[in-house]
Amino acid sequence: MSNNSESTTASMANRSAKTRQLLGMKGAAPGETSIWKIRLQLMKPITWIPLIWGVVCGAASSGNYTWTLEDILKAATCMLLSGPLLAGYTQTLNDFYDREIDAINEPYRPIPSGAISVPQVITQIFLLLFAGLGIAYLLDLWAGHQFPNVTAIALLGSFLAYIYSAPPLKLKKNGWLGNYALGASYIALPWWAGHALFGELNSTIIILTLIYSLAGLGIAVVNDFKSVEGDRQLGLQSLPVMFGVTTAAWICVIMIDVFQAGIAGYLISIHENLYATILLLLVIPQITFQDMYFLRAPLENDVKYQASAQPFLVLGMLVTGLALGHAGI
């Protein structure tokens, strides 16, 4: 009976590790042989979710989205652009330039484990990039834009992804610049794309989402805790390396909470009091999980914290988008 139980537990753990590997999460298992699954691992599907959600928030903030078949198809195509294609491009590019760090921190990743060759990775990077830019241009044609707004946003995001990962700039070497670039890529850029697709992108939306991206900076810092040792060895100045684990954890949670509260304050200033109240209420469980998990043991609980707290952050983004759409900003 005991042997059966141990076998079942081991089987479940193995399946969990393989799933984590496929999604691009920490604690994954090596040994995948399917080239298509390996390519998917490089694209880290778990990272697509906030970008897809950002498109939803942008569509909401435009105030012009309707539940017609055409608008649903437009939104779905923009989600394909922001998530699988350009986020996939970004993650594959990052894995390519991080292969030395991953050999220390995550040796089971496809490139350091030898599961895929460097030429195959480079081919994947260019295919995803050009497919994304092509889809962006088609969306501009579909929306009847005189200026190709979505294509411009896609080009900006692609360039930002490159300078984030690649030398000589390699923004991720600096914990502040790199994490803000990441935060803006996950919040502001897909938001702009969704808003531009259904409405007129304006300076107010751009500024507000860039401010909101400072909360995204805090979320991006959470990802640095899994690679402290490799970053330290290779001279990358992530916040946990610069300030130590405990201080970096506090910086992380303060950024997340303060800037969400700041956005709530703005909503109050434009008389969207109900939405502001909901946003503030959504910050409370985030603070609770920060205290329960992240601040007590950031290295051990980073994934658990993200899984428990991030749903409230992304719901807050949608609440903000709906408020802006309702206010006609």
Side-chain angles (χ1 to χ4, degrees):
M1 189 72 175
S2 176
N3 288 340
N4 288 339
S5 176
E6 290 175 4
S7 176
T8 302
T9 301
S11 177
M12 290 175 64
N14 184 54
R15 283 198 298 271
S16 174
K18 286 185 177 296
T19 300
R20 296 172 78 84
Q21 171 74 328
L22 191 62
L23 293 175
M25 299 170 67
K26 191 171 81 168
E32 182 58 64
T33 56
S34 167
I35 187 61
W36 297 109
K37 288 185 178 180
I38 291 167
R39 291 189 181 281
L40 192 62
Q41 289 166 16
L42 283 172
M43 295 163 67
K44 295 185 182 176
I46 196 71
T47 66
W48 304 348
I49 298 170
L51 288 107
I52 290 170
W53 192 256
V55 172
V56 175
C57 297
S61 68
S62 75
N64 296 320
Y65 179 82
T66 59
W67 290 100
T68 60
L69 179 60
E70 182 178 10
D71 278 4
I72 291 170
L73 291 175
K74 277 183 184 177
T77 305
C78 196
M79 291 175 191
L80 172 66
L81 162 68
S82 296
L85 295 178
L86 291 188
Y89 152 78
T90 299
Q91 295 297 338
T92 307
L93 185 73
N94 188 61
D95 264 29
F96 174 75
Y97 284 107
D98 270 7
R99 55 194 186 275
E100 292 181 10
I101 298 175
D102 286 344
I104 299 169
N105 295 318
E106 300 178 271
Y108 49 78
R109 293 293 302 158
I111 301 175
S113 69
I116 188 169
S117 69
V118 168
Q120 287 175 308
V121 175
I122 293 172
T123 300
Q124 178 165 322
I125 289 169
F126 281 106
L127 283 175
L128 290 169
L129 173 61
F130 290 127
L133 296 177
I135 291 292
Y137 185 67
L138 287 175
L139 283 171
D140 280 317
L141 293 178
W142 195 351
H145 291 157
Q146 291 186 335
F147 179 81
N149 296 316
V150 179
T151 303
I153 294 166
L155 283 167
L156 174 61
S158 303
F159 175 70
L160 194 60
Y162 179 78
I163 63 173
Y164 173 80
S165 296
L169 292 180
K170 201 174 179 70
L171 295 181
K172 68 181 299 178
K173 289 193 298 185
N174 181 289
W176 294 109
L177 288 176
N179 283 313
Y180 183 70
L182 203 58
S185 297
Y186 276 88
I187 293 180
L189 291 178
W191 196 311
W192 297 353
H195 191 105
L197 189 59
F198 295 101
E200 293 292 329
L201 187 61
N202 56 66
S203 58
T204 302
I205 293 295
I206 290 173
I207 292 169
L208 282 173
T209 51
L210 287 174
I211 292 171
Y212 218 143
S213 297
L214 289 164
L217 185 156
I219 290 295
V221 173
V222 178
N223 295 320
D224 290 337
F225 287 89
K226 69 180 181 182
S227 55
V228 174
E229 188 55 40
D231 290 348
R232 186 178 290 115
Q233 288 184 33
L234 295 173
L236 296 184
Q237 294 299 303
S238 68
L239 296 192
V241 171
M242 285 194 289
F243 297 105
V245 168
T246 302
T247 302
W250 275 102
I251 292 171
C252 172
V253 301
I254 288 170
M255 297 290 287
I256 292 169
D257 300 337
V258 165
F259 287 99
Q260 287 181 94
I263 294 294
Y266 173 77
L267 296 183
I268 292 171
S269 75
I270 60 172
H271 309 296
E272 294 294 336
N273 298 332
L274 175 60
Y275 291 105
T277 301
I278 295 171
L279 178 56
L280 287 171
L281 289 173
L282 287 169
V283 176
I284 294 172
Q286 295 179 63
I287 294 172
T288 303
F289 288 122
Q290 287 162 2
D291 178 60
M292 285 175 59
Y293 298 134
F294 193 60
L295 291 174
R296 299 186 186 190
L299 295 179
E300 293 78 14
N301 292 332
D302 56 340
V303 174
K304 186 183 292 186
Y305 164 67
Q306 285 179 309
S308 57
Q310 276 197 357
F312 297 98
L313 182 140
V314 297
L315 281 174
M317 289 170 55
L318 180 58
V319 167
T320 302
L322 290 168
L324 296 173
H326 183 260
I329 298 300

